[in-house]
Amino acid sequence: MRTTKQKQAIETVFLNSDRPLSVEEVTERARETAPSINTATVYRNLKTLVDSGILTKICSGQAGTLYEPNHSGHHHHFHCRTCGKTFDLPGCPLSVQPKLPEGFTADSHELFYYGICAECARVGVDQRVYPE
Amino acid sequence: MRTTKQKQAIETVFLNSDRPLSVEEVTERARETAPSINTATVYRNLKTLVDSGILTKICSGQAGTLYEPNHSGHHHHFHCRTCGKTFDLPGCPLSVQPKLPEGFTADSHELFYYGICAECARVGVDQRVYPE
DNA sequence: GTGTATGCAAAGCTTTTGCATAGGT
DNA sequence: ACCTATGCAAAAGCTTTGCATACAC
């Protein structure tokens, strides 16, 4: 595995982010360091990083597909309907062994909250739907 | 809004299903009644039914995009990694007011469990990944 | 007869893949 | 010098849209 400017740019993007990012966000931010970086390269690197356990891919109906570092432990997410950003929530409100129908066994779960984040509530731009 | 064979076929599909269905499943089953039905028609009708509150669209990273009748009340879903089917789970293990960071307000949430369903556990086809 | 819903085909998006080559080792 | 990772372009899903026409009313 070779050290390229593109690969380093992508890793830096995640080091400098405190929330999960979309492919588009990753590409935009990576271009600040590696201006020529191509979408295909971003996808290829994200896939490699997920396969090697460095990143995790998360997905919800409203938040879409996002990537985040895998080191943060078990936690869940909050998607703001106003600014469209997704945030990490510390901890997990669920018991390890949920009540499931007879014979069903769960080994993992994914939980998304939807609502308004602190920043959007403060600014009061209720009418705004998604960034800028 | 006109009553067409295609529209009725789609509604019947959901009346006869006990679990959320993918667009592909809806199309296949609707063709049993309306053989000529087209994918575009399926999408258009699903959109209309969702907009009018009859269906709900759900989505997760592993289960993909699914539709189900909206009358079932608040509940969550279980996705079987072996057969690929998604099932309804009765009830909700979460409190209405979760602990969120200062200033955040949630109005809804979405929860997916992942694991093995009763049927797949019984049959023991652990190696199988997705139907048939 | 009028006008909406459908089928078909084309086009949008997002993501993946083939291939030549730039660049890391 | 070798060979991997990149850029570009094409292609492969999935979903939406334009347009002529079938068909519900």
Side-chain angles (χ1 to χ4, degrees), chain B residues 6-104:
Chain B
Q6 293 85 341
K7 209 164 282 184
Q8 288 175 307
I10 291 174
E11 281 163 17
T12 304
V13 165
F14 285 101
L15 288 176
N16 294 334
S17 177
D18 59 349
R19 60 176 178 83
L21 300 172
S22 68
V23 173
E24 198 184 350
E25 286 172 318
V26 173
T27 307
E28 281 169 9
R29 296 186 185 196
R31 276 204 231 276
E32 291 168 18
T33 312
S36 71
I37 200 172
N38 187 275
T39 312
T41 302
V42 174
Y43 276 105
R44 274 189 283 238
N45 276 286
L46 289 176
K47 188 174 188 336
T48 304
L49 291 166
V50 168
D51 289 347
S52 64
I54 293 168
L55 295 184
T56 303
K57 184 179 181 176
I58 61 174
C59 182
S60 92
Q62 310 194 41
T65 303
L66 303 169
Y67 294 82
E68 71 174 345
N70 193 28
H71 53 61
S72 5
H74 180 65
H75 64 278
H76 295 295
H77 298 96
F78 181 99
H79 176 75
C80 176
R81 296 184 195 284
T82 300
C83 66
K85 290 178 190 156
T86 297
F87 302 90
D88 282 352
L89 294 176
C92 174
L94 294 169
S95 67
V96 184
Q97 284 302 332
K99 299 183 291 210
L100 295 174
E102 180 73 25
F104 282 61

Side-chain angles (χ1 to χ4, degrees), chain A residues 42-100:
Chain A
V42 174
Y43 276 104
R44 275 189 283 238
N45 276 287
L46 289 175
K47 188 172 186 337
T48 304
L49 291 166
V50 168
D51 289 348
S52 64
I54 294 169
L55 295 184
T56 303
K57 185 178 180 174
I58 62 176
C59 182
S60 94
Q62 310 193 43
T65 303
L66 303 169
Y67 294 82
E68 71 173 344
N70 193 29
H71 54 58
S72 6
H74 181 65
H75 65 278
H76 295 294
H77 298 96
F78 181 99
H79 177 76
C80 176
R81 296 185 195 285
T82 300
C83 66
K85 290 177 189 157
T86 297
F87 302 89
D88 283 351
L89 294 176
C92 174
L94 293 168
S95 68
V96 185
Q97 283 301 333
K99 302 183 288 212
L100 295 174

